């Protein structure tokens, strides 16, 4: 018995019979039932590219925009809808720096990633400044003790030159928020990569990351996020 990480109420939940029969998958609940119920798992029809919950299985407007900009499709798998509860969760986890919250979804996201046997896991990095003030990288928090490859690091983006004065290639290059870490190209080449981030909003971050990894010779690049 412990306290819910979100509302601090006591969690007295007993494991179900099904959980008892699969001893390995038991972990004490860290959220109470009423907090859990506010998070909505993505199920049913989704955008076939980014994994957004929809009423149909057509390509969503964000993905159409990426197509129009000439970006290669990036297949993303997301676990939960980015609803009010999830936004509040991210606020408490990232901006208030409540590191305990990583436990709320880490088992689930790790189980999903383990299904991608043999894939190299590349987490989206945070800037050194963010890491200092927050004290952690929220993506690594979710990934727990899975083996990850720190292939990406943030780079300084020069915002001094107006975007309108650049062509698309220049824009992609100057907007690129990441660069490869030293020696990462050798690790990436020929590998299947799954890039992991906490939230997929417009997809910009993940598209930039995927672009860089493909350029470096990755065999395939897909992504996974906790929320979309
Ligand atoms: Zn609660
Ligand atoms: Zn989409």
């Amino acid at each position: 018995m412990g306290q819910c990480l979100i509302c601090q109420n006591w969690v007295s939940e007993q494991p179900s019979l099904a959980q008892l029969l699969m001893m390995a998958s038991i972990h004490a609940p860290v959220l109470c039932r009423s907090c859990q119920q506010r998070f909505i798992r993505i199920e049913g029809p989704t955008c076939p590219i980014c994994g957004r919950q929809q009423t149909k299985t057509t390509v969503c407007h964000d993905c159409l925009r990426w197509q129009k900009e000439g970006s290669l499709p990036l297949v993303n798998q997301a676990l939960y809808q980015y609803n009010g509860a999830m936004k509040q969760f991210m606020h408490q986890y990232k901006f208030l720096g409540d590191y305990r919250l990583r436990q709320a979804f880490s088992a689930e996201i790790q189980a999903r990633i383990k299904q991608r046997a043999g894939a190299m896991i590349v987490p989206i990095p945070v800037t050194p400044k963010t890491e200092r003030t927050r004290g952690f990288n929220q993506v690594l928090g979710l990934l727990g003790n899975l083996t990850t490859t720190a292939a990406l690091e943030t780079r300084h983006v020069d915002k001094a030159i107006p975007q309108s004065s650049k062509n698309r290639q220049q824009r992609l290059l100057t907007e690129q928020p990441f660069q490869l870490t030293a020696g990462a190209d050798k690790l990436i080449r020929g590998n299947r990569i799954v890039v992991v981030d906490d939230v997929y909003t417009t997809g910009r971050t993940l598209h930039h990351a995927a672009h860089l990894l493909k350029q470096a010779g990755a065999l395939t690049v897909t992504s996974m996020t906790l929320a979309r």
Side-chain angles (χ1 to χ4, degrees), residues 32 39-40 50 67 84 96 109 122 124 151 176 189 192 210:
C32 72
F39 297 100
I40 304 170
C50 70
Q67 261 171 29
L96 304 181
I109 199 159
V122 174
I124 289 290
Q176 175 59 265
R189 193 168 303 280
R192 290 188 297 120

Side-chain angles (χ1 to χ4, degrees), residues 81-134:
Q81 291 185 30
Y82 195 39
N83 64 356
M86 190 54 89
K87 283 178 185 160
Q88 214 181 326
F89 171 85
M90 289 296 176
H91 180 79
Q92 190 181 340
Y93 180 35
K94 295 201 292 193
F95 300 108
L96 304 181
D98 189 348
Y99 192 53
R100 299 170 312 154
L101 283 185
R102 72 192 187 286
Q103 301 165 49
F105 300 106
S106 61
E108 216 173 324
I109 199 159
Q110 289 174 43
R112 290 284 190 105
I113 288 178
K114 281 179 187 158
Q115 293 171 0
R116 315 262 185 109
M120 179 180 271
I121 306 163
V122 174
I124 289 290
V126 296
T127 65
K129 185 168 177 271
T130 303
E131 186 128 20
R132 271 198 306 278
T133 49
R134 187 172 296 163

Side-chain angles (χ1 to χ4, degrees), residues 51-169:
R52 161 192 249 150
Q53 181 89 65
Q54 298 186 134
T55 51
K56 291 179 290 186
T57 55
T58 48
V59 175
C60 79
H61 57 83
D62 281 335
C63 289
L64 285 176
R65 195 167 46 87
W66 286 116
Q67 261 171 29
K68 220 187 283 175
E69 285 192 24
S71 222
L72 292 168
L74 173 65
V75 175
N76 182 64
Q77 185 183 23
L79 275 61
Y80 283 86
Q81 291 185 30
Y82 195 39
N83 64 356
M86 190 54 89
K87 283 178 185 160
Q88 214 181 326
F89 171 85
M90 289 296 176
H91 180 79
Q92 190 181 340
Y93 180 35
K94 295 201 292 193
F95 300 108
L96 304 181
D98 189 348
Y99 192 53
R100 299 170 312 154
L101 283 185
R102 72 192 187 286
Q103 301 165 49
F105 300 106
S106 61
E108 216 173 324
I109 199 159
Q110 289 174 43
R112 290 284 190 105
I113 288 178
K114 281 179 187 158
Q115 293 171 0
R116 315 262 185 109
M120 179 180 271
I121 306 163
V122 174
I124 289 290
V126 296
T127 65
K129 185 168 177 271
T130 303
E131 186 128 20
R132 271 198 306 278
T133 49
R134 187 172 296 163
F136 58 91
N137 173 341
Q138 70 277 3
V139 181
L140 286 176
L142 292 173
L143 293 172
N145 55 14
L146 288 183
T147 304
T148 61
T149 304
L152 302 172
E153 61 189 9
T154 57
R155 66 184 276 275
H156 177 71
V157 179
D158 189 4
K159 293 199 170 100
I161 310 156
Q163 295 298 317
S164 52
S165 70
K166 299 174 201 160
N167 65 31
R168 194 181 156 270
Q169 272 307 317

Side-chain angles (χ1 to χ4, degrees), residues 164-204:
S164 52
S165 70
K166 299 174 201 160
N167 65 31
R168 194 181 156 270
Q169 272 307 317
Q170 286 173 320
R171 262 204 342 261
L172 265 180
L173 209 67
T174 51
E175 282 176 2
Q176 175 59 265
F178 306 118
Q179 60 195 17
L180 295 178
T181 52
D185 51 342
K186 287 187 204 74
L187 301 172
I188 293 161
R189 193 168 303 280
N191 260 304
R192 290 188 297 120
I193 294 179
V194 52
V195 187
V196 184
D197 204 0
D198 48 1
V199 185
Y200 185 117
T201 44
T202 63
R204 186 162 296 278

